[in-house]
Amino acid sequence: MASPPKTGAGVDSEGNRIRLAAAAAALATVGAGLGLRAVAAGDVAKYGGDALYTLLIVALVVLGAPRMTAWKAGAVALAFSWVVEFSQLSGVPAELSRHSAVARLVLGSTFNAPDLFWYAVGALAGWLAVAFRTGPGRSRSA
């Protein structure tokens, strides 16, 4: 009886290693955000938090889709962040934020145009981290 072919879906598969790294990055990003809030205030905390928000989304995108290219993960995270920011113009996130701490953390409440730039900074950092992590010459860095 022949043994089944290896599919790479074992515990040591590349996808699982990428997911583990993405989960660790997500936790580190949340820790960095909490740490930033603890030691900084004003614009440093606000805009640093914006960049970290998008960086966290990059990590979550890679966690969910470990084979996604670095630039696509960054683009998805940036698009999500911008959609959330522009949705604040509708007032819906503000209303939801009044009733839920989770909504306040995820959706915010008030549109602020400079946030759009800082989300791009976070997406760029995420793209670089994913591209660096996967190394040159591999398909994910494209």
Side-chain angles (χ1 to χ4, degrees):
M1 177 176 211
S3 56
K6 293 197 177 222
T7 62
V11 174
D12 292 335
S13 74
E14 183 179 1
N16 286 337
R17 285 192 299 274
I18 293 168
R19 280 192 173 102
L20 182 60
L27 290 173
T29 303
V30 169
L34 293 172
L36 181 62
R37 285 287 186 179
V39 300
D43 287 347
V44 171
K46 180 182 181 356
Y47 295 126
D50 289 344
L52 288 169
Y53 175 86
T54 303
L55 186 60
L56 173 62
I57 295 169
V58 171
L60 295 175
V61 167
V62 173
L63 182 64
R67 302 281 186 209
M68 185 176 288
T69 63
W71 75 268
K72 283 183 185 175
V76 167
L78 181 59
F80 177 85
S81 298
W82 281 358
V83 165
V84 168
E85 189 68 26
F86 281 112
S87 75
Q88 293 168 356
L89 292 169
S90 73
V92 172
E95 183 60 30
L96 294 172
S97 293
R98 279 194 275 282
H99 301 291
S100 167
V102 173
R104 188 170 34 260
L105 290 170
V106 174
L107 302 176
S109 61
T110 308
F111 178 81
N112 185 32
D115 291 352
L116 300 171
F117 170 78
W118 291 102
Y119 294 142
V121 170
L124 176 62
W127 170 74
L128 289 171
V130 174
F132 176 77
R133 171 82 174 101
T134 55
R138 291 175 133 179
S139 63
R140 294 202 58 232
S141 63

